[in-house]
């Protein structure tokens, strides 16, 4: 009897997105906050999986206490998942203001042992790790395409998005998360604790630069669609 494989089923030649990140300033957190980091990262991962479903087939792998890795099977949604993940950390850690650097590698994947995302390999994994290592301290978000030249327009757009996201507050991040979930502003307002009025949500979205971030997401996704002819 052949041994049953536990590897994530992959389609040869299909582009995937691998997100690799580490928490900013984790060494400066107190012991209680550092102990809570893996739980905060897992919570963000599970929320992303609920939102994007089968597109994120496995929980994020958390390693070294403050680092993590996530696979997104629809490459064009890698940036959107990264924005959601970062907003989730912002909105769920008001006491310490958690933030994370995220490097997105787009490309094929050779293998991913089930439940062991950090042990996966392939061009997307290697590109994601390379980009994170080379990312300047002033940046917290980057995307690169493996084995081909990254379209020129992507870098400046993500750079601008990163600058906008750097300023997000807890409430702005909550408002952005609601928009990423496709909720109307009135419903987002009702879900807050305590509930607020719709104009309050609209104000936070305006201050968060949501329209610019949404435009950036659409632009990058369209570019990746054209590059890979993703359907």
């Amino acid at each position: 009897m052949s041994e049953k494989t536990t590897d994530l089923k992959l389609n040869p030649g299909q582009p995937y997105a691998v997100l690799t990140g580490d928490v900013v300033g984790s060494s400066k957190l107190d012991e209680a906050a550092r102990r809570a980091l893996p739980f905060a990262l897992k919570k963000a991962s599970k929320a992303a999986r609920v939102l994007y479903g089968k597109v994120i087939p496995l929980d994020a792998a958390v390693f070294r206490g403050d680092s993590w890795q996530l696979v997104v099977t629809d490459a064009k949604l890698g940036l959107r998942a990264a924005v959601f993940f970062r907003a989730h950390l912002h909105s769920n850690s008001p006491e310490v203001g958690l933030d994370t650097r995220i490097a997105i590698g787009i490309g094929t994947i050779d293998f991913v042992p089930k439940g062991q995302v950090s042990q996966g390999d392939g061009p997307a994994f290697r590109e994601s790790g390379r980009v994170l290592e080379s990312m300047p301290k002033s940046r917290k978000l980057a995307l690169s395409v493996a084995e081909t030249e990254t379209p020129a327009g992507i870098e400046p757009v993500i750079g601008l998005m990163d600058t906008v996201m750097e300023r997000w507050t807890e409430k702005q991040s909550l408002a952005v998360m609601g928009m990423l979930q496709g909720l109307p502003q009135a419903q987002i307002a009702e879900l807050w604790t305590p509930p607020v009025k719709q104009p309050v949500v609209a104000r936070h979205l305006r201050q968060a630069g949501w329209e610019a971030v949404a435009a950036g997401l659409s632009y990058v996704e369209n570019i990746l669609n054209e590059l890979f002819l993703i359907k």
Side-chain angles (χ1 to χ4, degrees), residues 223-231:
I223 291 291
L224 292 176
N225 268 337
E226 294 176 2
L227 182 63
F228 293 112
L229 298 177
I230 302 172
K231 298 181 180 180

Side-chain angles (χ1 to χ4, degrees), residues 143-209:
L143 182 150
S144 182
V145 180
E147 301 181 302
T148 187
E149 186 174 350
T150 303
I154 287 181
E155 166 60 24
V157 168
I158 291 184
L160 290 172
M161 291 174 62
D162 187 34
T163 299
V164 171
M165 294 166 64
E166 177 76 23
R167 303 193 301 266
W168 283 356
T169 65
E170 174 197 2
K171 291 182 178 179
Q172 290 169 13
S173 297
L174 279 171
V176 167
M177 284 174 60
M179 296 302 289
L180 288 170
Q181 293 174 73
L183 302 177
Q185 293 182 20
Q187 186 175 349
I188 296 172
E190 293 173 357
L191 292 174
W192 282 17
T193 305
V196 296
K197 300 294 185 181
Q198 179 273 331
V200 174
V201 174
R203 173 167 56 85
H204 284 298
L205 287 171
R206 184 172 61 255
Q207 293 172 344

Side-chain angles (χ1 to χ4, degrees), residues 75-83 104 141 143 158 161 216-217 220:
K76 70 178 181 291
L77 294 180
L79 179 59
R80 191 171 292 265
V83 172
I104 306 164
L141 184 65
L143 182 150
I158 291 184
M161 291 174 62
L217 286 171
V220 172

